[in-house]
RNA sequence: GGCCCCAUCGUCUAGUGGCCUAGGACGUCAGAUUCUCAAUCUGAAAACACGGGUUCGAUUCCCGUUGGGGCUGCCA
């Protein structure tokens, strides 16, 4: 007996930004396809003409590719079961609608076409939640039937979703738990059409940190931002980190691993391990993970990813200094500012911390004359020079280190001091020491 | 309101009746790194929602309560 080849699909609606929860759904589908050697299909559910936009479609395609979730069949790719836009499949839906009418499963009412829902409860054999049997709600008790073709002739979600899953030979439907309540309708449709339904796996939702629903239209703008994948791209998260973090939301490798290569995840991922409980999105942990990925990657890749975040080119030697420190690429400008701007702005908080006035000026001037005579301009030699000066004055090196950092970078935090000085070069360091002594010396 | 799903540290999770004085990670706090830091290292505090059962024994099984989430559109 040969197992049926797995065919899964991600079926977004191009009506806005790509939701981070949708991304996780796409990821789980993709992982399952890769784990089983199956096929990952992208299908665009654009039956609601009024709400679809081309930009939104672009966002979906780019977003999936950014994460490395390439589809095997779908837009810009083709495949044997196209077209992959529901707006182009009207003839197919019509065929199925006619079949339902002929077999007496559908009838017209108020200009729309309604599906005759079975009166007895339907059990969903869900791979994650187990068998789920729904009792009829108040509404359903009054009238369990539902619309499958609108008055304007457009077929609705429940119908097209099922028809396409049939036509595209979908074997497993992995989707958000918000669809669990819809599933009996879909099962009834399959039954009426005389087709064996796919297996269902409803995955838990991703919620905000406060447990509320992640919504792109949340009245709180900071929450609304977090719901969109675009935010993470813009803030300088790297795809591997976002993907890794998402893998750990609702799925667990069952050991203590946090950072995993995608190959490892593909190897271990399977439906039975998916958790039943909703998970909250912890952007802080994602940020930590992003820093881990940034530090672990090659300098070349770091430079490549950094490029869009830098107003002007920055030498690799400088990027190397901040690569180990930074967590988000969007913070790059302020971390490398010392290397690309001569007009250093002094951070008030840093000035407060280090101090100002004649005492500071004296230290900076001493430093300047010390560095002016340093023969070899290297991190090691500079460290040696600074420490000699401190010893001469009978103070701790820190007494000179902090003012020096402030003078050359304007900040209290940043890369290690001596490599920073080395990268800057003698001339710029001396200029900055003099300027800082003047500006902060009063 | 009705229906459905869910419930271990603040968060993500390990745990499928005794190995649990409940493990890991993020975050937090405290030290260390006699240069900062959102880096690194070390350590600490921190959880089985509640009430009934079942059992020799429950975080683990059952029921209820409470709490959270979802659905309840001629949206998807």
């Amino acid at each position: 007996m040969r197992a049926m080849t797995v065919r899964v699909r991600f079926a977004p609606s191009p009506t806005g930004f790509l939701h981070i929860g949708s991304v996780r759904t796409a990821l789980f589908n993709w992982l399952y396809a890769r784990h089983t050697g199956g096929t990952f299909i992208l299908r665009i559910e654009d039956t609601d003409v009024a709400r679809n936009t081309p930009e939104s479609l672009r966002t979906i395609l780019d977003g999936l590719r950014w994460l490395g979730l390439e589809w095997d069949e779908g837009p810009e790719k083709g495949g044997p079961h196209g077209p992959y836009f529901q707006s182009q499949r009207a003839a197919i839906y019509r065929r199925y609608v006619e079949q339902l009418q002929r077999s007496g499963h559908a009838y017209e009412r108020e200009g729309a076409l309604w599906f005759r829902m079975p009166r007895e409860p339907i059990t969903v054999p869900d791979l994650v939640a187990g068998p789920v049997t729904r009792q009829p709600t108040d509404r359903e008790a009054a009238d369990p039937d539902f619309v499958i073709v609108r008055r304007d002739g457009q077929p609705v979600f429940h119908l097209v979703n099922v028809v396409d899953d049939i036509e595209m030979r979908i074997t497993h439907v992995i989707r958000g738990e918000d669809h669990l309540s819809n599933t009996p309708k879909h099962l009834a449709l399959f039954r009426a059409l005389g087709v064996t339904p796919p297996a269902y796996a409803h995955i838990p939702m991703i919620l905000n940190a406060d447990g509320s629903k992640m919504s792109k239209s949340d009245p709180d703008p900071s929450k609304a931002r977090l719901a969109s994948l675009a935010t993470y791209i813009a803030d300088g998260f790297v795809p591997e980190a976002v993907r890794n973090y998402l893998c750990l939301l609702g799925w667990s490798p069952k050991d203590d691993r946090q950072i995993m290569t995608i190959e490892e995840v593909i190897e271990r991922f399977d439906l039975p391990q998916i958790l039943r409980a909703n998970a909250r999105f912890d952007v802080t942990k994602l940020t930590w993970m992003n820093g881990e990925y940034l530090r672990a990657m090659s300098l070349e890749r770091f430079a490549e990813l950094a490029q869009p975040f830098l107003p002007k080119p920055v030498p690799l030697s400088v990027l190397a200094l901040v690569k180990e420190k930074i967590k988000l690429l969007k913070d790059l400008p302020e971390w490398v500012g010392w290397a690309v701007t001569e007009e250093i702005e002094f951070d008030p908080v840093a000035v407060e911390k280090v101090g100002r006035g004649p005492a500071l000026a004296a230290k900076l001037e001493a430093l300047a004359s010390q560095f002016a005579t340093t023969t070899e301009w290297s991190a090691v030699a500079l460290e040696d020079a600074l420490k000699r000066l401190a010893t001469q004055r009978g103070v701790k090196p820190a007494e000179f280190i902090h003012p020096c950092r402030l003078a050359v970078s304007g900040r209290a935090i940043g890369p290690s001091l001596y490599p920073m000085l080395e990268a800057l070069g003698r001339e710029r360091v001396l200029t900055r020491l003099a300027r800082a002594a003047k500006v902060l010396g009063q």
Side-chain angles (χ1 to χ4, degrees):
Chain A
M1 188 183 99
R2 180 177 144 271
M4 203 198 296
T5 308
V6 165
R7 290 177 61 81
V8 293
R9 45 60 165 191
F10 174 54
S13 172
T15 54
F17 299 113
L18 187 51
H19 192 282
I20 195 73
S22 301
V23 168
R24 206 264 311 242
T25 301
L27 172 64
F28 279 21
N29 275 281
W30 180 87
L31 283 171
Y32 191 59
R34 294 294 170 265
H35 176 76
T36 58
T39 304
F40 176 55
I41 297 152
L42 177 61
R43 178 173 81 218
I44 305 300
E45 306 218 332
D46 54 354
T47 54
D48 188 354
V49 187
R51 292 172 57 198
N52 300 323
T53 68
E55 305 79 60
S56 176
L57 172 65
R58 195 69 257 157
T59 304
I60 292 169
L61 302 186
D62 291 349
L64 292 178
R65 284 185 174 135
W66 183 79
L67 276 166
L69 307 182
E70 191 63 50
W71 50 100
D72 305 308
E73 294 177 25
E76 300 182 354
K77 196 96 180 185
H81 303 281
Y84 293 90
F85 291 86
Q86 292 186 330
S87 56
Q88 297 167 20
R89 298 171 64 81
I92 297 168
Y93 304 136
R94 195 152 38 233
R95 237 173 48 224
Y96 280 85
V97 167
E98 281 162 12
Q99 183 186 335
L100 287 171
Q101 280 181 295
R102 274 201 310 276
S103 59
H105 288 98
Y107 61 92
E108 209 174 319
R109 188 215 296 181
E110 291 151 352
L113 200 67
W114 291 66
F115 178 74
R116 203 183 303 281
M117 189 67 181
R119 307 291 119 148
E120 57 289 343
I122 291 177
T123 298
V124 179
D126 193 84
L127 263 25
V128 175
V132 176
T133 306
R134 280 192 48 196
Q135 299 307 123
T137 63
D138 289 350
R139 278 184 56 94
E140 290 165 343
D143 180 9
D145 298 350
F146 61 94
V147 170
I148 52 175
V149 179
R150 295 179 214 153
R151 196 179 316 185
D152 64 5
Q154 285 293 317
V156 304
F157 165 72
H158 300 302
L159 193 264
V160 297
N161 192 268
V162 164
V163 168
D164 286 343
D165 285 347
I166 292 172
E167 286 280 309
M168 295 178 182
R169 310 281 190 271
I170 300 302
T171 60
H172 296 72
V173 171
I174 304 169
R175 59 176 20 165
E177 191 194 279
D178 48 337
H179 285 294
L180 186 54
S181 302
N182 289 329
T183 309
K185 290 186 174 118
H186 299 177
L187 253 13
L189 245 9
F190 275 101
R191 202 179 292 172
L193 258 6
V195 178
T196 306
Y200 287 93
H202 287 94
I203 62 182
M205 311 294 286
I206 301 181
L207 310 175
N208 284 314
D210 64 3
S212 60
K213 183 182 184 174
M214 271 189 132
S215 169
K216 293 176 282 189
S217 53
D218 196 295
D220 179 343
S222 67
K223 281 196 216 162
R225 282 192 91 236
L226 256 26
S228 173
L229 177 69
T231 298
Y232 302 92
I233 300 176
D235 284 358
F237 287 89
V238 301
E240 303 93 301
V242 174
R243 195 174 57 193
N244 192 152
Y245 178 70
L246 252 19
C247 285
L248 264 23
L249 242 36
W251 175 81
S252 166
K254 303 295 184 191
D255 58 19
D256 293 338
R257 308 290 304 283
Q258 307 288 331
I259 307 288
M260 300 178 74
T261 66
I262 197 63
E263 288 76 21
E264 288 174 301
V265 178
I266 288 171
E267 171 75 32
R268 301 184 188 201
F269 186 87
D270 209 348
L271 267 15
Q273 308 156 37
I274 294 180
L275 274 23
R276 306 127 298 258
N278 293 343
R280 298 181 191 211
F281 195 91
D282 183 2
V283 74
T284 307
K285 182 164 181 178
L286 204 209
T287 304
W288 161 79
M289 193 172 273
N290 203 58
E292 293 288 307
Y293 272 91
L294 250 19
R295 237 173 297 124
M297 70 176 56
S298 71
L299 182 56
E300 288 65 35
R301 174 144 168 80
F302 181 76
E304 189 185 312
L305 291 170
Q307 211 237 318
F309 294 88
L310 296 169
K312 57 175 101 168
V314 172
L316 273 188
S317 57
V318 171
L319 289 179
L321 299 182
V322 299
K323 175 174 171 285
E324 315 300 315
K325 300 268 188 169
I326 210 169
K327 284 185 175 175
L328 254 30
L329 292 170
K330 77 159 179 201
D331 293 337
L332 227 23
E334 61 171 314
W335 275 79
V336 300
W338 56 271
V340 294
T341 37
E342 297 310 319
E343 293 300 302
I344 296 295
E345 284 180 34
F346 299 102
D347 172 24
V349 178
V351 173
E352 181 66 28
K353 209 165 150 185
V354 177
R356 60 192 307 160
L360 178 72
K363 283 179 189 169
L364 296 179
E365 279 152 17
L367 230 21
S369 47
Q370 180 80 345
F371 288 158
T373 58
T374 303
T375 47
E376 186 200 335
W377 194 264
S378 70
V380 185
L382 289 165
E383 175 167 3
D384 189 53
L386 185 144
K387 285 186 174 166
R388 263 201 330 270
L389 175 63
T391 307
Q392 282 167 24
R393 302 293 172 100
V395 297
K396 290 188 293 185
E399 290 294 314
F400 285 103
I401 286 167
H402 300 302
C404 188
R405 178 189 304 285
L406 178 65
V408 300
S409 74
R411 309 191 343 132
I413 62 173
S416 292
L417 179 66
Y418 308 112
M420 193 156 66
L421 296 177
E422 182 184 320
L424 242 19
R426 191 195 308 264
E427 197 184 326
R428 292 160 95 193
V429 168
L430 294 181
T431 307
R432 291 182 189 193
L433 286 173
R435 177 168 170 266
K438 205 165 102 188
V439 175
L440 302 174
Q442 350 281 330

